[in-house]
Amino acid sequence: MEDIHLAYDVVKQIAPFMGQLLAKYPMPSEADPHEKQAYALWKVIYPKVALRSKVILAAKKLVEDDSSKNRVSLSNQLALVFRTNSFLAAEVKEELYTWRRDTSTAERSRQEAPPIPTPRVGALHEEYSAEQISCQVCNGQDETLRLVSYPFVFSLVIITFRRMFHGVYCSRHANRYFFLATLITMTVGWMGIPFGLIFTPVTLFNLYNSDKRLRPANAKLLLEIAKAKQEKGHTREAAVFYQESLWLNGKESRQVDSSPDLPALVVFDKPEFLVQVFSLLGGFSAAWLLGFLIGLIDGMISTPFVDLQGQISVLVIIFSYIPLLLMLFFGGFVLARFVRWMLERTLITSHWVGRMVAGFTSLISFYAILVGNLFFFVQAGSGQMAESLMDYIRINGLLLVHGGWLTLNGLIRQGNAADLLFVVLVIFGWMSFFWLSRDWAQQTVQWRRTLQKIERGEALNSGALVGVSAVLIVGIIVLILGLIFYPSTILLT
């Protein structure tokens, strides 16, 4: 929040003179200390924001209407600049500190306006209440509000550019920018020699870690909003923001000395045992469906390239795998959200059990990708045609239960480079699924432990019985279906 406080100070100082600053009018000789300070601050800031269209647009809106809303908008934009440019933030702080010191010694005797007070955390000036922080696109505010920073790369043969989407967005618009950054990087990021090939994997890795890296900052952001809403009597809304801040960073959010009533806002659910088990089963089913759809869609997209039988260039082959990479990339985040949903509806407080759930979920999704891929090709006519309704049921039952093993075995035996590349990519996707799901599982388990400690002073049972029960039920169902649709009963050509 320090960057936001600094931006508030700057905007309060330069707002009355924004028109002159944008028009680059020379400072009048009779300017008062506040106007001189505004010119000095703008002289430091402007070279760093001249090409940032959102900052300049917010400044122009402030010139048209010097309202609280427009001041907050410009403050948010400058806070993002300060957060990504620590040297500029330090220079602006020094400029403000120098002016305040000079004002306190020379201007107070002349009864000038007092220096700008430094806002206290949780007690910002009403004009800049944390409750007013909202999505920069839709101006909405909910518990999904996040500070995001999504890097991307695009190349033009010998030139490679690195840029970044950053701002405060709700989940809907954050996902939009995340998808755009990923799409740009995967399609044209690597097409630069040599830096495109170097920066693309690095950028994709940073994209995968971007949300995790900003969790402490976002926890503080949501905690400030929760405190602001609590001060205005919006208790239920404050509880939602506070609990989400606990999920992002429980250690930071538990330090609530300035607002000791916040822990009382926690709503602690206590689901029954069967509800917990069925929540895990529902999550496993959703993971299987996610993987099945990825495999099915990849089969639809790759069919035209398979029919060409190698009569295309290597570049086109690479592009044919980009949809699969995109689906695997985003599938990991969707699967992680499934894992969070599952664990939020249980009383699991053991990190080991949480990792087991994450691993089992990612394994189900990985297997379903192979099933979906084979299912499409069989339905498209590459397999044996059913002669009766019973044969149709048996064939599809065989595919849905044993299709993953059949696909993996067939692709490896053929030894085709394109098929082996598909296997490698799917295995890589499975590893990324597990890595991300494991992280979200640990975060959710720690969140559940924190909630239980707030209410009871200690954690409850580990939840191992719930996790093992759900896995055993899935295992029994798969075993029964596997025996019913045994591969030897049907021969696929």
Side-chain angles (χ1 to χ4, degrees):
M1 297 299 292
E2 183 179 356
D3 299 315
I4 295 178
H5 296 164
L6 179 61
Y8 290 159
D9 282 353
V10 171
V11 171
K12 188 171 183 179
Q13 183 63 35
I14 67 175
F17 316 102
M18 200 71 250
Q20 298 92 307
L21 298 176
L22 283 179
K24 299 182 181 178
Y25 287 161
M27 182 175 61
S29 57
E30 67 278 5
D32 62 27
H34 291 279
E35 189 171 0
K36 290 180 180 179
Q37 175 62 14
Y39 272 85
L41 286 171
W42 191 245
K43 184 178 180 180
V44 173
I45 296 171
Y46 180 74
K48 302 296 183 182
V49 301
L51 297 179
R52 293 179 179 266
S53 58
K54 290 186 178 181
V55 176
I56 301 301
L57 181 61
K60 290 180 179 179
K61 288 184 178 180
L62 184 61
V63 174
E64 297 172 0
D65 180 17
D66 187 3
S67 63
S68 173
K69 178 181 178 181
N70 289 336
R71 288 195 177 194
V72 170
S73 177
L74 180 57
S75 298
N76 290 337
Q77 294 298 333
L78 287 178
L80 295 174
V81 176
F82 295 152
R83 188 171 292 112
T84 57
N85 191 334
S86 58
F87 296 103
L88 176 62
E91 193 173 354
V92 171
K93 284 181 184 178
E94 180 63 26
E95 183 67 34
L96 282 173
Y97 173 76
T98 302
W99 177 75
R100 287 172 179 157
R101 182 187 59 194
D102 295 343
T103 301
S104 63
T105 58
E107 298 297 326
R108 286 184 181 178
S109 60
R110 297 166 51 186
Q111 298 182 350
E112 292 287 342
I116 308 167
T118 302
R120 293 181 295 106
V121 175
L124 296 174
H125 190 278
E126 183 178 358
E127 181 181 357
Y128 297 122
S129 172
E131 194 178 14
Q132 298 183 19
I133 300 175
S134 59
C135 175
Q136 295 175 203
V137 178
C138 64
N139 204 33
Q141 186 189 71
D142 57 25
E143 71 278 7
T144 67
L145 200 65
R146 296 289 188 276
L147 169 67
V148 302
S149 179
Y150 297 143
F152 63 93
V153 175
F154 62 96
S155 302
L156 300 173
V157 186
I158 61 173
I159 303 176
T160 299
F161 301 92
R162 290 190 293 176
R163 297 292 184 268
M164 181 180 295
F165 295 122
H166 55 80
V168 178
Y169 303 107
C170 62
S171 61
R172 181 164 64 95
H173 294 103
N175 291 337
R176 178 187 302 176
Y177 283 111
F178 182 80
F179 174 79
L180 187 58
T182 307
L183 181 64
I184 294 172
T185 302
M186 283 190 176
T187 52
V188 296
W190 54 273
M191 296 178 65
I193 302 174
F195 295 107
L197 298 175
I198 299 174
F199 291 147
T200 295
V202 174
T203 301
L204 290 175
F205 180 78
N206 289 335
L207 269 172
Y208 228 66
N209 282 280
S210 57
D211 289 336
K212 182 178 180 179
R213 187 175 63 252
L214 291 173
R215 278 175 187 169
N218 283 317
K220 292 180 180 179
L221 174 67
L222 296 183
L223 182 59
E224 292 300 321
I225 296 176
K227 291 178 180 179
K229 288 185 175 294
Q230 186 191 23
E231 289 174 359
K232 292 191 174 183
H234 303 157
T235 306
R236 291 188 177 181
E237 295 180 20
V240 173
F241 281 91
Y242 178 62
Q243 290 191 197
E244 188 67 16
S245 71
L246 284 176
W247 189 92
L248 290 168
N249 193 347
K251 294 181 180 178
E252 290 285 347
S253 300
R254 288 289 287 125
Q255 298 175 1
V256 291
D257 296 335
S258 60
S259 188
D261 296 331
L262 274 177
L265 302 177
V266 171
V267 180
F268 182 66
D269 298 325
K270 306 177 185 64
E272 299 293 335
F273 178 79
L274 289 179
V275 174
Q276 298 179 56
V277 173
F278 279 102
S279 295
L280 294 183
L281 293 176
F284 293 151
S285 302
W288 189 92
L289 181 60
L290 172 68
F292 183 80
L293 290 176
I294 291 176
L296 196 68
I297 295 173
D298 177 70
M300 296 171 60
I301 295 174
S302 61
T303 297
F305 298 97
V306 173
D307 294 338
L308 291 176
Q309 298 180 351
Q311 302 175 14
I312 51 179
S313 67
V314 176
L315 190 63
V316 176
I317 294 176
I318 294 175
F319 269 107
S320 70
Y321 282 101
I322 288 178
L324 176 61
L325 286 171
L326 281 170
M327 287 188 290
L328 291 175
F329 199 83
F330 287 100
F333 285 92
V334 176
L335 192 69
R337 284 165 171 78
F338 286 161
V339 171
R340 176 180 176 178
W341 179 87
M342 295 159 63
L343 295 177
E344 280 183 346
R345 284 154 179 78
T346 66
L347 295 177
I348 294 176
T349 59
S350 168
H351 288 290
W352 181 86
V353 177
R355 286 192 290 268
M356 180 195 72
V357 171
F360 193 70
T361 306
S362 59
L363 185 63
I364 289 175
S365 188
F366 160 75
Y367 186 80
I369 293 175
L370 301 174
V371 172
N373 193 263
L374 180 62
F375 187 85
F376 173 80
F377 284 108
V378 172
Q379 298 301 321
S382 61
Q384 177 179 340
M385 299 300 295
E387 297 180 356
S388 64
L389 177 61
M390 185 58 66
D391 283 344
Y392 180 81
I393 295 175
R394 293 169 64 192
I395 290 174
N396 286 282
L398 170 64
L399 293 174
L400 295 178
V401 177
H402 298 282
W405 305 119
L406 295 174
T407 302
L408 198 60
N409 183 51
L411 293 177
I412 293 177
R413 282 189 175 185
Q414 289 179 11
N416 185 286
D419 293 338
L420 291 178
L421 180 59
F422 171 79
V423 173
V424 170
L425 290 178
V426 174
I427 292 176
F428 174 78
W430 166 56
M431 294 172 61
S432 66
F433 283 5
F434 175 68
W435 181 77
L436 197 60
S437 298
R438 176 179 175 274
D439 174 60
W440 281 55
Q442 289 181 321
Q443 201 76 5
T444 307
V445 169
Q446 184 60 44
W447 171 80
R448 174 60 74 181
R449 291 167 66 96
T450 303
L451 292 184
Q452 292 181 350
K453 287 179 180 179
I454 289 175
E455 187 187 53
R456 297 176 176 269
E458 60 179 0
L460 299 179
N461 62 80
S462 65
L465 182 60
V466 174
V468 172
S469 300
V471 172
L472 284 178
I473 291 174
V474 173
I476 292 172
I477 293 174
V478 172
L479 179 61
I480 293 174
L481 292 177
L483 294 175
I484 294 175
F485 300 104
Y486 192 69
S488 62
T489 60
I490 300 175
L491 296 176
L492 292 178
T493 59

